[in-house]
Amino acid sequence: MSAATTTELVHAYRRLLRAGLRAVQFSKPSRSTVTAKLREGFRDPGAKFDPERVRRTVWFLNAAAQQRGLEHRIVKNLCRVHWERAREASRTAWRLRVRHDEAARERKEGRKKDPDVIKGTEYEHYERTIAMLNDSMGLCLR
């Protein structure tokens, strides 16, 4: 596969953006989610451009825009999870300070807290599912 030209990338970005915004019906929290994920995907230096995957993703997003079927629910849930993760990340600084204070208090009192084995792996299954969906259908959803 040859390297993509700038115009091909711009056209692909615009097609995906238009189809994505139609799929979420220009709703306020979802449209910012779609734009953020699309920018993240196109700015990723390790990402590979595949025009066939872009074409199939545009078809998928157009199907999500046309009727409230499985495609619409998938896009809706992708936006919701991304929004929740961003919201969680924005509150992390406060949470870390509280946890740090709690840990200091526990050390002072002599109590030990069990390490959280789930922390950092909450979205592993979700990300694998999206990767398998992309592989099986030839899409480039994030």
Side-chain angles (χ1 to χ4, degrees):
M1 185 171 82
S2 63
T5 63
T6 307
T7 54
E8 287 175 336
L9 288 174
V10 169
H11 287 292
Y13 180 85
R14 288 181 181 167
R15 276 192 304 247
L16 286 168
L17 181 62
R18 252 185 262 121
L21 291 176
R22 271 192 237 116
V24 297
Q25 300 172 353
F26 297 92
S27 64
K28 204 149 210 176
S30 296
R31 70 179 172 206
S32 60
T33 300
V34 167
T35 354
K37 288 307 268 183
L38 196 55
R39 284 179 185 159
E40 180 184 317
F42 273 83
R43 289 178 180 165
D44 184 15
K48 295 177 184 165
F49 179 72
D50 187 1
E52 180 62 27
R53 281 185 177 263
V54 170
R55 189 170 57 89
R56 288 182 184 196
T57 305
V58 170
W59 284 351
F60 182 85
L61 293 172
N62 286 334
Q66 288 175 0
Q67 60 184 348
R68 292 185 59 177
L70 181 64
E71 294 92 352
H72 181 77
R73 287 194 306 259
I74 289 172
V75 171
K76 183 178 169 181
N77 287 327
L78 284 171
C79 289
R80 175 66 187 249
V81 169
H82 176 70
W83 183 77
E84 289 287 344
R85 286 174 94 170
R87 195 173 114 204
E88 183 180 311
S90 69
R91 292 189 291 179
T92 302
W94 175 80
R95 286 184 180 176
L96 286 177
R97 279 185 265 147
V98 171
R99 286 185 185 151
H100 178 69
D101 294 343
E102 287 175 0
R105 192 176 324 117
E106 286 175 0
R107 274 185 262 124
K108 187 177 180 182
E109 295 173 2
R111 290 184 293 170
K112 287 188 176 179
K113 190 175 180 181
D114 294 333
D116 190 5
V117 294
I118 297 175
K119 187 67 182 164
T121 62
E122 337 38 56
Y123 294 105
E124 244 179 60
H125 187 266
Y126 167 79
E127 290 166 357
R128 286 185 192 165
T129 305
I130 298 302
M132 285 189 283
L133 177 71
N134 286 337
D135 289 342
S136 65
M137 294 183 68
L139 302 174
C140 51
L141 297 173
R142 286 182 163 228

